[in-house]
Amino acid sequence: PAVSLLYPYGPHQHDHKTPKLDDGTSKEISLAVPFTFYGKKHQTLYVNNNGVISFGVRVKQYTPDPFPLADGRPFVAPYWADVDNVLGGEIFYRETTDPMLLARITKNINQYFPKIPFTAIWAFVATWDHVAYYGSTSNKGNTFQATLTTDTKTSFIILNYEVIQWTTGKASGGDAETGLGGTPAHAGFNSGDETNFYNIPGSQTEAIINITQTSNVNVPGRWVFQVDDFKVTGVPTEVPKVAGSNNCWL
């Protein structure tokens, strides 16, 4: 079998879990090492069930908006959509200084950004494991992960997409059986300053279901960004075509 893109997660990693609650969030999580996001140091964050890691504010909104957001919420959206972990799946998270994981993350960052000296000293790993969508009448589940890492000065976020089977919850206009249609999921970053933001190609179109096949680091299903002083690196200009369709989303 192919080696998973995902960094280790789950109970055996002593992960915490968010509540089984529609539109739920974690408690406010204090970080042992400050994480710099768009020039601001953050000591706390929230893991929100609806596919978002946020700084300073919970995000319960289930239908995504395109970035930049007018209300100044700074957050990372690996896959912002109407997740319902009551119907299926778990959302895991942990802070870690595990040497083996930090070595693996460091190796990855050095490979993708060879001109930036970087040795990870800390990471935060959040994983949405086979999560269902609101109103689902199917057993479809999405598995994806966001990893924050820093050397205290330079910060990166690694987004890993292993299985994406649905794009939309029922309350966002999606079909209860297929999890498609309506207002599809959004992936990217919002700094909160209305100037710095990034929308991963395919966001809020049916093409987002193919995010397991896209990348800015030539590893299908992985997107990596430097976010202390945001730089968009190696981003493809074309949005992926939808499987079984001739549509090209521009």
Side-chain angles (χ1 to χ4, degrees), residues 56-124:
V57 60
R58 289 180 166 90
V59 177
K60 297 190 175 188
Q61 182 179 336
Y62 54 83
T63 301
D65 289 321
F67 301 148
L69 300 175
D71 61 10
R73 286 175 290 175
F75 64 68
V76 181
Y79 201 81
W80 185 13
D82 199 357
V83 170
D84 190 347
N85 65 343
V86 178
L87 290 179
E90 301 283 359
I91 298 147
F92 296 102
Y93 64 89
R94 77 182 180 284
E95 238 186 335
T96 180
T97 54
D98 174 61
M100 286 182 66
L101 179 59
L102 293 181
R104 182 174 164 188
I105 290 171
T106 297
K107 182 179 177 182
N108 290 153
I109 297 295
N110 293 165
Q111 178 185 347
Y112 308 141
F113 299 85
K115 295 179 180 176
I116 301 173
F118 182 80
T119 303
I121 66 152
W122 169 94
F124 185 90

Side-chain angles (χ1 to χ4, degrees), residues 17-223:
K17 292 194 285 191
T18 67
K20 290 268 191 185
L21 183 65
D22 183 41
D23 304 328
T25 76
S26 72
K27 64 181 189 204
E28 187 172 24
I29 301 161
S30 295
L31 306 179
V33 174
F35 185 77
T36 303
F37 185 65
Y38 288 107
K40 294 181 181 176
K41 285 184 182 286
H42 295 278
Q43 293 271 187
T44 66
L45 55 74
Y46 295 95
V47 177
N48 304 277
N49 289 4
N50 289 337
V52 171
I53 294 176
S54 57
F55 303 100
V57 60
R58 289 180 166 90
V59 177
K60 297 190 175 188
Q61 182 179 336
Y62 54 83
T63 301
D65 289 321
F67 301 148
L69 300 175
D71 61 10
R73 286 175 290 175
F75 64 68
V76 181
Y79 201 81
W80 185 13
D82 199 357
V83 170
D84 190 347
N85 65 343
V86 178
L87 290 179
E90 301 283 359
I91 298 147
F92 296 102
Y93 64 89
R94 77 182 180 284
E95 238 186 335
T96 180
T97 54
D98 174 61
M100 286 182 66
L101 179 59
L102 293 181
R104 182 174 164 188
I105 290 171
T106 297
K107 182 179 177 182
N108 290 153
I109 297 295
N110 293 165
Q111 178 185 347
Y112 308 141
F113 299 85
K115 295 179 180 176
I116 301 173
F118 182 80
T119 303
I121 66 152
W122 169 94
F124 185 90
V125 182
T127 309
W128 286 256
D129 182 44
H130 201 74
V131 289
Y133 54 93
Y134 180 79
S136 172
T137 58
S138 75
N139 62 359
K140 288 186 173 184
N142 288 348
T143 299
F144 56 94
Q145 184 180 73
T147 298
L148 287 57
T149 187
T150 186
D151 64 0
T152 71
K153 293 179 181 176
T154 308
S155 303
F156 289 93
I157 291 178
I158 303 165
L159 305 180
N160 294 321
Y161 301 92
E162 187 159 89
V163 177
I164 299 295
Q165 297 182 321
W166 62 266
T167 63
T168 322
K170 187 176 178 183
S172 306
D175 182 274
E177 180 60 33
T178 65
L180 305 174
T183 303
H186 194 95
F189 301 85
N190 192 69
S191 71
D193 63 10
E194 297 189 37
T195 303
N196 295 294
F197 61 92
Y198 181 66
N199 300 310
I200 288 180
S203 288
Q204 292 192 299
T205 78
E206 60 183 21
I208 197 66
I209 202 164
N210 291 330
I211 200 167
T212 56
Q213 299 161 40
T214 65
S215 178
N216 65 333
V217 292
N218 295 314
V219 179
R222 175 171 283 173
W223 288 76

